[in-house]
Amino acid sequence: MTTLRLISSMATKPLLADLVALFQTHQPEVQIHVESVGGVDAAKRVQAGEAFDGVVLASDAINKLIASGHVHAGSRVDLVLSGVAVAVPAGQPVPDISTEAALKAAILAAPTLGYSTGPSGVQLAKQFEAWGITETIAPRIVQAKPGVP
């Protein structure tokens, strides 16, 4: 029996569970163990030399691991495109986000802003910087620690 060990971000846990279950219906002799942790922690473990047969993380994290020689160049395969959603507390008006200008205005008007340290949060921070609003909104940002959903 072959055993494969994968590490992934928590965001991919449900998807990987489904894929592993489907794979094992066709290849029952292969055992796959997936450890899902915070993406930052997963990347640190790979960088520290912990051995895995596969790493499932955001493309920027995989690219850094490739650049540092911890993941084989040419082995990256994109599995999904992850979107970003907007949510507001129950009972509050839903902001207009139909255009970039409307989205920026809604962000500037929001009393608090929360986003992850994961790929979506990284992209949002880049967008805030591009809009020139990072310093303006900084006091209102609530961000989970790496690895906390």
Side-chain angles (χ1 to χ4, degrees):
M1 179 168 292
T2 302
T3 301
L4 299 176
R5 187 168 174 238
L6 307 179
I7 190 164
S8 74
S9 67
M10 289 186 297
T12 60
K13 185 177 182 176
L15 171 66
L16 286 178
D18 289 347
L19 290 174
V20 166
L22 180 62
F23 177 82
Q24 289 184 320
T25 61
H26 300 286
Q27 301 286 326
E29 70 282 359
V30 178
Q31 291 295 320
I32 301 176
H33 297 285
V34 179
E35 185 175 351
S36 296
V37 298
V40 171
D41 291 334
K44 284 180 182 178
R45 288 172 62 183
V46 173
Q47 288 171 334
E50 192 170 341
F52 294 96
D53 297 298
V55 181
V56 182
L57 294 171
S59 59
D60 63 329
I62 292 291
N63 290 341
K64 288 176 185 174
L65 291 170
I66 290 170
S68 67
H70 292 95
V71 169
H72 292 292
S75 67
R76 178 181 147 184
V77 176
D78 293 335
L79 297 176
V80 297
L81 177 63
S82 177
V84 177
V86 175
V88 296
Q92 296 297 312
V94 177
D96 175 16
I97 58 168
S98 61
T99 66
E100 183 176 350
L103 175 59
K104 180 179 173 183
I107 289 168
L108 288 168
T112 57
L113 300 159
Y115 59 88
S116 76
T117 56
S120 60
V122 170
Q123 288 305 118
L124 283 172
K126 287 178 184 176
Q127 186 61 58
F128 298 156
E129 187 67 32
W131 284 338
I133 64 172
T134 302
E135 290 182 25
T136 303
I137 64 172
R140 297 180 279 138
I141 292 175
V142 178
Q143 195 169 37
K145 293 180 182 178
V148 175

